[in-house]
Amino acid sequence: MKRLMYLLVTILLVGVGAIVVDGVRDDVQPSDVGVVLGSKVMPNGTPSDRLRARLDKAADLYRQGMFKRIIVSGGTGGEGYSEGLVMAAYLRDKQAIPGVAILADEHGNTTEATARNSAAIMAAHGFRSAVVVTQFFHVTRSRYALQRAGVGTVYGAHASYSEARDLYSLARELVALPAYWLSAR
């Protein structure tokens, strides 16, 4: 029984370590688009700190010439605001990203939906490569979801924002990532 516990703890630690290392090691190459995954919108209709950090990272990469278009993806949360539209407005109004460079997906309610919708948007525009922008713990699964949706080349970049909730999110990814692998279409 003790060996089994050590084995389980070791597997968990290796899993967490792999997700963290993959997520914080930005792998950014020039691509057709940046794909920013949604997160909480505040009750007043502004991006949460976590979402703002993702958008700021995407804006920085855009200015560095890493991509010429940005897909922002998120559904409508309990606050009643479309994450996709809030994200687009923030990039336009606060980061001075030209509106023509922003493509909004208002139906990215899950990572899988964002991947599927982004892949469709990319195909419609002839785009083949992307940099996914999200929190460090979410990069691995997001990149995999985009690849599974048909995006051939996917790089990753993490937002420079962390909070205590990230521990819960890491635990969630330990379950969600294998579930994605096992549910391959």
Side-chain angles (χ1 to χ4, degrees):
M1 187 62 160
K2 210 176 212 184
R3 283 179 180 251
L4 181 59
M5 288 302 292
Y6 285 134
L7 179 62
L8 289 175
V9 168
T10 300
I11 290 170
L12 288 174
L13 290 175
V14 168
V16 165
I19 289 169
V20 170
V21 168
D22 187 50
V24 299
R25 182 183 44 86
D26 285 356
D27 176 26
V28 178
Q29 297 293 322
S31 300
D32 296 320
V33 297
V35 177
V36 186
L37 283 90
S39 191
K40 184 176 178 65
V41 172
M42 302 307 291
N44 66 359
T46 61
S48 63
D49 291 342
R50 179 181 292 246
L51 183 54
R52 198 167 48 251
R54 293 177 187 188
L55 295 165
D56 291 345
K57 180 72 170 196
D60 288 345
L61 292 170
Y62 173 86
R63 285 199 241 337
Q64 291 172 30
M66 290 295 122
F67 38 78
K68 302 232 183 288
R69 304 292 289 273
I70 302 172
I71 297 172
V72 290
S73 180
T76 300
E79 298 78 20
Y81 295 98
S82 162
E83 290 173 13
L85 293 182
V86 168
M87 295 163 73
Y90 178 85
L91 286 173
R92 236 184 4 261
D93 301 342
K94 303 295 184 191
Q95 286 290 348
I97 304 295
V100 297
I102 303 166
L103 302 165
D105 164 31
E106 294 186 72
H107 304 288
N109 294 322
T110 64
T111 303
E112 187 172 359
T114 289
R116 195 173 45 249
N117 298 344
S118 295
I121 292 169
M122 290 176 67
H125 288 85
F127 300 147
R128 297 175 185 210
S129 60
V131 176
V132 65
V133 181
T134 187
Q135 303 314 118
F136 74 93
F137 54 78
H138 197 213
V139 169
T140 303
R141 184 163 56 103
S142 299
R143 188 170 37 226
Y144 177 70
L146 281 164
Q147 290 168 336
R148 192 166 85 171
V151 179
T153 305
V154 185
Y155 301 103
H158 76 288
S160 298
Y161 179 83
S162 59
E163 58 188 349
R165 176 180 135 187
D166 292 352
L167 294 175
Y168 160 77
S169 298
L170 269 169
R172 186 187 68 215
E173 291 302 312
L174 279 173
V175 174
L177 193 53
Y180 262 55
W181 290 331
L182 294 173
S183 69
R185 297 176 204 190

